[in-house]
Amino acid sequence: MTEHDNLGGCRPSGGGFRAWAPRWLTGWLLVLAGGLAQAQMPAPVAPRPTLRIVGLEVPPLITAGPAGVQGLVVEIVTAAVRQAGYEPRIDIMPWARAYAEVRDQRVDALIPTIRSPQREAELAFGDQPIFVSEQSLFFRNDAAVRWRGDVTAIHGLDLIKLAGALTAAQLDQAIANRQVTVHEAANYALVMRMLAGGRGQVAMAPKLIGQHALRVTGNSHLIQAAEPPLAYQPFYLAFNQAPHLAPARQALDQALARMWADGTVQRIVASHKP
């Protein structure tokens, strides 16, 4: 026996819901259930905008490894850029080319760099450094120089340094005044080889970079970093001056401030010390 319901269908008088529900109603309920399930699914996450960053290979700060570009500065920059809401793409280039690519707005940012009047005129710096380096003088163990932190102790000597690199304010001034004779090298390993070979009496390098160069060239037993350091030099990530990068620069500055405050930067640096 069947009876008509007010939706225009027929249902058995004694059956359950499945027995009498019209097919179109069942289909409508299935569509509704599917829509509710889809509405509860998380929205797809938009990809992070990419920041393209370039720098000179200076182990252990930046170095090419089997897993890509690695190093102390790379770790700090990667963490800060991601905290700021971006994804870094970091490439190694010779210094002159890297600087020109950023200055001419073909690449977003440069690492690591020191502030100077010329660079501040051509690039855009934030307030927070990515790393603070001990800028050290290196002497052979048989050197007669008595170093106590005063750059006048090396006036008249032959100084070996990285080509095109700034050092520390008082030494840069001594170089400009020709109070030291400068010999330049293409990389820090060559700087240390030249010092070991007697091409000069003193070399200048960021301490961690210089110590790494001594290990890879096998000269750690001949040369040491002098104490105290010549200076403590902040290194920065510098953006190009395109207006659309101003929000990224501000966000990165805020991320770096948090990382300095919570000890993240200090922990990364400590993990790379010999």
Side-chain angles (χ1 to χ4, degrees):
M1 177 180 177
T2 64
E3 60 185 41
H4 289 271
D5 61 24
N6 61 6
L7 293 175
C10 294
R11 59 180 174 87
S13 58
F17 179 81
R18 289 177 181 266
W20 63 265
R23 291 181 180 180
W24 69 267
L25 177 59
T26 304
W28 181 84
L29 289 172
L30 289 172
V31 170
L32 178 61
L36 289 172
Q38 193 170 32
Q40 292 173 355
M41 292 175 63
V45 178
R48 296 170 180 262
T50 299
L51 286 179
R52 190 176 177 205
I53 302 166
V54 293
L56 174 70
E57 184 168 20
V58 279
L61 305 190
I62 306 174
T63 186
V69 183
Q70 301 171 320
L72 185 160
V73 161
V74 173
E75 287 184 36
I76 295 170
V77 168
T78 297
V81 168
R82 286 176 176 162
Q83 274 201 35
Y86 297 81
E87 188 63 26
R89 175 187 162 189
I90 302 175
D91 295 304
I92 291 173
M93 291 182 184
W95 175 256
R97 180 186 167 200
Y99 188 94
E101 289 287 301
V102 177
R103 179 197 61 206
D104 298 340
Q105 300 185 11
R106 293 186 290 270
V107 175
D108 298 322
L110 176 70
I111 56 171
T113 185
I114 296 172
R115 300 179 90 123
S116 72
Q118 177 188 353
R119 293 176 186 182
E120 292 195 273
E122 296 178 334
L123 305 173
F125 287 81
D127 294 327
Q128 298 294 326
I130 53 176
F131 172 59
V132 177
S133 172
E134 294 176 75
Q135 300 292 85
S136 295
L137 295 179
F138 288 77
F139 295 93
R140 291 192 303 272
N141 293 338
D142 60 359
V145 178
R146 298 176 65 84
W147 173 252
R148 294 187 175 89
D150 184 353
V151 77
T152 59
I154 64 168
H155 283 181
L157 299 185
D158 288 70
L159 170 76
I160 307 165
K161 63 181 283 292
L162 184 70
L166 297 174
T167 59
Q170 57 178 316
L171 183 54
D172 289 336
Q173 189 62 52
I175 293 170
N177 294 341
R178 299 184 178 180
Q179 292 166 319
V180 293
T181 300
V182 175
H183 305 273
E184 293 194 322
N187 55 63
Y188 283 106
L190 185 54
V191 167
M192 296 305 166
R193 287 193 182 103
M194 290 170 66
L195 181 59
R199 291 283 301 277
Q201 296 88 34
V202 57
M204 171 69 205
K207 187 174 183 180
L208 286 179
I209 296 173
Q211 289 174 329
H212 181 274
L214 288 174
R215 289 195 299 275
V216 300
T217 60
N219 288 308
S220 297
H221 65 294
L222 297 176
I223 297 168
Q224 292 185 16
E227 295 293 343
L230 181 61
Y232 290 88
Q233 179 65 63
F235 284 82
Y236 294 86
L237 182 150
F239 283 85
N240 73 45
Q241 293 184 339
H244 76 274
L245 288 174
R249 187 172 70 251
Q250 293 165 2
L252 184 67
D253 228 29
Q254 293 167 358
L256 283 167
R258 291 192 296 270
M259 289 171 61
W260 280 106
D262 67 16
T264 299
V265 171
Q266 295 88 327
R267 287 191 293 274
I268 293 173
V269 172
S271 73
H272 285 267
K273 288 188 174 179

